[in-house]
Amino acid sequence: MTWSKYGEFLIFAVVLILIPGPDFAVVTKNTIAGGRRRGRWTALGVATSNLVQGTAAACGLGALILRAQPVFTAIKWAGVVYLAYLGAQAIRSAIRGQYEPVGGDRPAAGGRAFTGWRQGFLSNITNPKVLVFYLAVLPQFLGPGVAIGWLLTLAWSHAVLGLAYLFVLTAGIHGARDLLLRRKVRRSLDATTGAVLIGFSARLATEHA
């Protein structure tokens, strides 16, 4: 492993992170609903999941999960159900169109902070494609017999870059929150976010390991 290879990985990771996925949709939904703090807690949940899966892959646990087909399938279908559940919540909110008046940034204390973190963590930890990424892509940047330290460095670098991107996303959404909280705009965003999450759920359900 060389520093030039590490730089190539960072560039690849940034490009991959910029492609919107379920994490993008969940962080967007929570930032609009609960403000910047809740959005950040959601981003932290995603990053925590990335650290867990990246560490598991580096330590060889990820390969065991992939080989244990019933476990891998259970994780996949948990992800399908959870994304569909979040999407249905957003669509139900759009249909009802009943939103609490919000001023400034809602505090993210107590249950709301944990809810944001939990949704970010669960939406990511139940996405088997994240584990496959760590197992299939990371070795492409490493030579044979590489130390586990480099595996962890690549995995954790991806998690940190993803967290930084989601923090920037949260700040941008929060900056436009006055516009996004208008009832018509909010209903449209909830409907769109819900449809996107259900779409990710359906795509995950139809993919083969």
Side-chain angles (χ1 to χ4, degrees):
M1 181 68 183
T2 63
W3 287 108
S4 62
K5 278 289 185 182
Y6 179 63
E8 290 176 12
F9 171 78
L10 292 181
I11 294 172
F12 176 82
V14 168
V15 172
L16 195 66
I17 287 166
L18 292 175
I19 300 173
D23 299 337
F24 177 94
V26 173
V27 171
T28 298
K29 178 179 78 71
N30 279 339
T31 304
I32 294 172
R36 178 168 46 199
R37 291 188 182 93
R38 181 161 171 181
R40 285 178 174 175
W41 276 103
T42 307
L44 284 169
V46 172
T48 304
S49 171
N50 281 334
L51 287 173
V52 170
Q53 296 201 68
T55 302
C59 295
L61 298 178
L64 292 177
I65 292 173
L66 285 181
R67 285 199 292 268
Q69 191 62 32
V71 176
F72 184 78
T73 301
I75 293 174
K76 169 185 171 179
W77 284 103
V80 169
V81 172
Y82 192 66
L83 289 177
Y85 167 73
L86 293 179
Q89 274 191 325
I91 290 177
R92 183 182 63 182
S93 180
I95 292 173
R96 289 182 175 178
Q98 298 174 353
Y99 302 107
E100 298 177 7
V102 179
D105 195 7
R106 282 185 182 178
R112 284 177 178 163
F114 178 72
T115 297
W117 182 91
R118 182 189 65 203
Q119 290 187 1
F121 182 82
L122 290 178
S123 67
N124 191 268
I125 201 73
T126 57
N127 185 353
K129 290 192 293 185
V130 177
L131 185 60
V132 170
F133 162 77
Y134 285 124
L135 290 173
V137 175
L138 264 58
Q140 306 302 318
F141 295 88
L142 301 170
V146 69
I148 189 174
W150 272 113
L151 283 168
L152 290 173
T153 297
L154 296 190
W156 292 353
S157 295
H158 175 262
V160 171
L161 286 172
L163 178 62
Y165 165 69
L166 292 176
F167 271 11
V168 171
L169 173 66
T170 299
I173 294 172
H174 182 76
R177 199 160 172 250
D178 287 342
L179 169 63
L180 299 177
L181 284 175
R182 293 177 184 175
R183 187 170 180 271
K184 289 184 178 179
V185 176
R186 178 77 181 276
R187 292 185 74 179
S188 297
L189 286 172
D190 277 345
T192 301
T193 303
V196 168
L197 286 169
I198 290 175
F200 282 128
S201 173
R203 188 172 70 178
L204 180 59
T206 56
E207 285 181 347
H208 300 285

